[in-house]
Amino acid sequence: MRSAIAMFLVCLSTPSLGQTALPPGYWTESQSAEILAKTEVIRLAPSLDALDEAERGALQDLLSAGEVMQRLYERSKHPEAAASLEKLKSLHEKLGQPAVTRNLLDLYRLNQGPIAITLDNRREAFLPVAPQTPGKNVYPADATREQVDRFLTDHPAQRGEILAERSVVRRATRANIEADIATLERFPLIRGLHPGRIENLRFLAKRASPEAFYAVPYAIAYPQEMTRLFASLMRAADKVEPADAEFARYLRNRARDLVSNDYESGDASWVTGRFARLNAQIGAYETYDDALFGVKAFHSMSILLRDEAATSELRKALGGIQSIEDALPYEPRRRVRDDMPVGVYDVIADFAQARGTNTATILPNDALFTRRYGRTILLRANIMKNPALFAADERIWRAATADAHANDLTSEGNVLRTLWHEIGHYLGPDRDRQGRTLDVALANHADAMEEMKSDLVSLFALHRMKHPSLRAIQASGIKRTLQNVKPRSDQPYQTMQLVQFNWFLDKGLLRADPVTARLTIDYGRYPDTIDSLLKEVLRLQYAGDEAAVGAFFAKWTRWTPELHEKLAERIRSAQGARFRIVKYAALGE
Ligand SMILES: [Zn+2]
């Protein structure tokens, strides 16, 4: 496997013989080669032999829906995405497909748009386009946070719509409003599902002002894409109906959700549905691309193939879930459903925001829908078990720990720890002492605390089960905490991993060599170390004291040059690729 990766690395960064000159604004070949030399290609190709004819037919429509989602996502991240890609493609052909433009096409694929992440973690345009704005293309390019905040203070009634998860914010100019009115006139399906909207826009047009803002639902902002998605999902539903009637119902509900801009029916039938072999995550859920307010969800799509045997084995193991909850070191208890909608899948293809090497998903995030219907857990086995990704984990592990531990890490340990991490989100307190949700009580620290709780519940549960693969699970738990660079405080995952690492050192589970910083593990101390930190995390969550949690993070995130930085250097030089392009056999790649 390693030689295969090396081959890809060479292909991606082969220099051409003569330098081809491009117009200003395009990166040079050496600029792109620097990043591509740190990029590897992963290809996912699960066998589709288990699918019957009906499912295969539906899959084709789902794949074409995915392509629509992909372009939609790129457009919502950058206004010039589609135009700059078209120009680059025609330049590539006109110049006879030289390395310089091939590299730029690879960069576009890697970054899903014309803005690259550089080796020193900056975001930079590599095509002649405007720089990236924090609000991406779902807020006006020239709008600042202060302007929008001021408008919301003066117009509190607009708050809900402007900060909605699935709406695009615009300046209230006559041209913008008239374009939205024209959309509703042209698309009767969307007009009918948004009654009163056209009248509201006509009223707003009379008071148009570039200082003011308004928002339109994604269905109105992206009418062409949404009606195409509606048609593709409806077609897929008809085809898959004979093989999997429940999946067909979910696809129809989601198709309507996309044009009505209300996800409740699709989320309900997704989370509570019992599907056969296919599953799909479809729609806008995660908000981390919105750097202006952190509220806008961006589009994504994953098409998944269920691993029947692994899923039923997993569901059996979940029979004892209540006993894990009851054993957690905290007072208030809750009833946990033991028919959790969890499945093990191979990724057939990912699109848009879901494209990458994410190992597991738990959705939806909406608090009301979660309370009503629960959340579905999707474990992505062919990513968790990918040999190239595991090879990188193993290189890091061996660089960071003493030789005695060289063979402790296995991909199975990673899979089990990840699975129980997702289940961990279901256990422990979901509200604080005062009955507030933890997001409200712990504000900016809520995510880091919740993720740390899930990491620790995972290790706690697997220790209690005396799992046969415990050593590999324990090693995975330590691997998880290793950092290749000092975390920023706005990075919840890395921050809580550093807290665990420092706690492990403090309790003697880890000991660092004073010269090399390599780690020795005292596995005998593992259970007590996990119990003590889990107890503290559950206590802090239930207390709901934001200041106390802040003090806890301040105390446990120290970073020293002689230990942390030295270890980070070892990891950086061992890790290999920084970036990954994922390709999919189902897309003919
Ligand atoms: Zn998590």
Side-chain angles (χ1 to χ4, degrees):
M1 249 319 141
R2 275 189 206 179
S3 62
I5 299 161
M7 204 177 68
F8 274 123
L9 290 174
V10 171
C11 293
L12 284 176
S13 56
T14 307
S16 66
L17 294 172
Q19 289 281 331
T20 312
L22 291 178
Y26 289 90
W27 270 12
T28 63
E29 194 179 327
S30 63
Q31 278 177 297
S32 56
E34 190 184 60
I35 290 180
L36 293 173
K38 288 274 174 195
T39 302
E40 72 181 3
V41 174
I42 306 271
R43 183 169 176 271
L44 301 181
S47 162
L48 303 178
D49 292 349
L51 298 183
D52 70 15
E53 201 146 318
E55 291 165 319
R56 275 167 217 269
L59 177 58
Q60 290 314 311
D61 290 308
L62 292 175
L63 291 169
S64 48
E67 299 287 3
V68 176
M69 282 289 190
Q70 183 65 39
R71 298 301 158 216
L72 175 54
Y73 175 60
E74 291 167 8
R75 176 179 165 196
S76 61
K77 284 208 306 176
H78 199 289
E80 297 164 83
S84 65
L85 178 61
E86 277 321 301
K87 232 169 159 180
L88 174 61
K89 278 181 179 165
S90 74
L91 209 51
H92 182 59
E93 294 309 320
K94 215 167 75 193
L95 297 173
Q97 310 185 345
V100 61
T101 44
R102 193 175 59 234
N103 281 2
L104 294 174
L105 287 167
D106 285 338
L107 277 190
Y108 192 97
R109 170 68 185 247
L110 173 65
N111 292 285
Q112 309 198 73
I115 307 291
I117 297 177
T118 62
L119 292 180
D120 52 355
N121 213 16
R122 286 175 302 111
R123 282 170 166 75
E124 219 180 90
F126 58 87
L127 302 180
V129 297
Q132 181 172 282
T133 58
K136 306 294 191 306
N137 196 23
V138 293
Y139 299 90
D142 59 350
T144 63
R145 167 107 197 202
E146 290 66 36
Q147 288 173 344
V148 180
D149 274 335
R150 207 175 322 123
F151 179 79
L152 292 176
T153 309
D154 296 344
H155 304 84
Q158 309 280 323
R159 200 175 185 87
E161 199 145 278
I162 299 246
L163 296 184
E165 200 180 1
R166 298 184 187 102
S167 74
V168 172
V169 179
R170 305 199 199 282
R171 287 197 181 272
T173 62
R174 183 168 288 277
N176 283 343
I177 299 165
E178 280 170 358
D180 288 324
I181 292 172
T183 291
L184 288 165
E185 285 167 344
R186 264 208 332 273
F187 292 88
L189 172 68
I190 293 173
R191 186 172 67 239
L193 286 165
H194 297 265
R197 181 66 68 159
I198 201 162
E199 291 77 10
N200 287 345
L201 286 168
R202 283 178 184 142
F203 180 72
L204 185 63
K206 291 186 202 135
R207 302 171 303 151
S209 150
E211 319 290 272
F213 297 98
Y214 73 111
V216 290
Y218 282 170
I220 298 175
Y222 310 120
Q224 241 131 18
E225 291 89 342
M226 291 308 169
T227 43
R228 278 186 62 193
L229 287 165
F230 174 81
S232 296
L233 297 183
M234 284 295 194
R235 253 196 323 273
D238 286 347
K239 288 183 190 164
V240 85
E241 177 90 52
D244 190 347
E246 280 205 45
F247 188 52
R249 298 190 79 88
Y250 158 57
L251 292 176
R252 290 195 186 100
N253 276 306
R254 180 45 34 105
R256 288 186 290 264
D257 293 350
L258 293 174
V259 280
S260 69
N261 219 62
D262 174 356
Y263 277 26
E264 182 161 5
S265 71
D267 280 351
S269 59
W270 186 33
V271 171
T272 61
R274 286 170 193 271
F275 304 153
R277 284 167 290 265
L278 288 173
N279 198 342
Q281 172 193 321
I282 308 165
Y285 284 106
E286 302 288 358
T287 57
Y288 45 72
D289 278 310
D290 172 4
L292 195 63
F293 282 89
V295 296
K296 301 290 175 195
F298 282 66
H299 285 91
S300 68
M301 183 152 166
S302 292
I303 305 173
L304 305 164
L305 177 70
R306 198 154 77 115
D307 181 331
E308 199 62 56
T311 298
S312 66
E313 194 179 315
L314 179 61
R315 294 214 169 132
K316 246 183 275 156
L318 289 178
I321 187 90
Q322 186 67 45
S323 69
I324 304 287
E325 166 71 17
D326 293 343
L328 290 180
Y330 80 119
E331 268 321 304
R333 296 279 166 243
R334 57 166 159 151
R335 290 303 304 173
V336 190
R337 52 187 295 185
D338 51 14
D339 60 338
M340 220 174 279
V342 51
V344 182
Y345 298 90
D346 278 334
V347 174
I348 297 175
D350 282 332
F351 299 90
Q353 200 195 43
R355 189 166 271 185
T357 55
N358 178 24
T359 52
T361 306
I362 178 165
L363 284 174
N365 297 321
D366 185 285
L368 176 67
F369 300 169
T370 299
R371 177 165 65 71
R372 285 188 179 163
Y373 315 111
R375 307 175 86 185
T376 186
I377 299 175
L378 310 160
L379 294 158
R380 298 154 58 91
N382 59 344
I383 292 180
M384 288 193 284
K385 294 180 182 168
N386 185 279
L389 295 176
F390 180 70
D393 277 355
E394 197 170 52
R395 284 196 302 275
I396 292 169
W397 175 254
R398 289 180 177 170
T401 63
D403 289 342
H405 306 306
N407 299 317
D408 292 352
L409 195 73
T410 70
S411 67
E412 201 210 350
N414 286 341
V415 171
L416 288 160
R417 194 194 55 73
T418 305
L419 160 65
W420 281 90
H421 169 99
E422 298 304 329
I423 293 165
H425 283 301
Y426 267 94
L427 306 183
D430 56 351
R431 287 174 184 269
D432 76 348
R433 189 185 299 283
Q434 301 174 45
R436 298 176 299 176
T437 63
L438 299 180
D439 272 354
V440 172
L442 302 181
N444 283 341
H445 299 302
D447 284 350
M449 285 301 272
E450 178 63 21
E451 293 304 330
M452 180 153 50
K453 177 203 73 179
S454 292
D455 269 7
L456 296 165
V457 167
S458 172
L459 294 166
F460 175 86
L462 289 157
H463 272 99
R464 271 188 68 85
M465 286 178 235
K466 298 191 169 41
H467 198 283
S469 305
L470 190 57
R471 177 52 45 89
I473 291 158
Q474 291 172 320
S476 172
I478 289 166
K479 160 70 185 57
R480 163 84 155 168
T481 69
L482 302 176
Q483 304 297 312
N484 62 0
V485 58
K486 182 181 180 193
R488 297 192 312 265
S489 61
D490 64 348
Q491 296 181 298
Y493 284 89
Q494 289 86 338
T495 299
M496 66 90 188
Q497 288 159 5
L498 178 58
V499 169
Q500 293 184 63
F501 180 81
N502 284 334
W503 191 279
F504 294 176
L505 282 169
D506 187 72
K507 300 293 175 213
L509 168 59
L510 296 179
R511 206 158 28 81
D513 184 282
V515 179
T516 64
R518 282 174 87 187
L519 302 166
T520 303
I521 305 159
D522 183 351
Y523 286 104
R525 293 178 188 248
Y526 218 126
D528 286 348
T529 303
I530 295 302
D531 287 7
S532 61
L533 182 52
L534 179 57
K535 196 168 176 184
E536 184 64 4
V537 167
L538 295 174
R539 188 186 68 75
L540 285 165
Q541 281 190 313
Y542 188 60
D545 180 345
E546 193 191 339
V549 175
F552 172 82
F553 278 113
K555 178 173 177 199
W556 288 100
T557 48
R558 70 183 180 280
W559 182 274
T560 64
E562 64 280 6
L563 197 172
H564 299 82
E565 189 54 40
K566 197 179 275 179
L567 196 58
E569 262 171 45
R570 293 188 71 90
I571 292 168
R572 284 198 297 270
S573 57
Q575 70 185 4
R578 273 266 303 269
F579 308 107
R580 294 189 168 97
I581 294 176
V582 188
K583 300 209 163 179
Y584 307 93
L587 296 176
E589 296 178 331

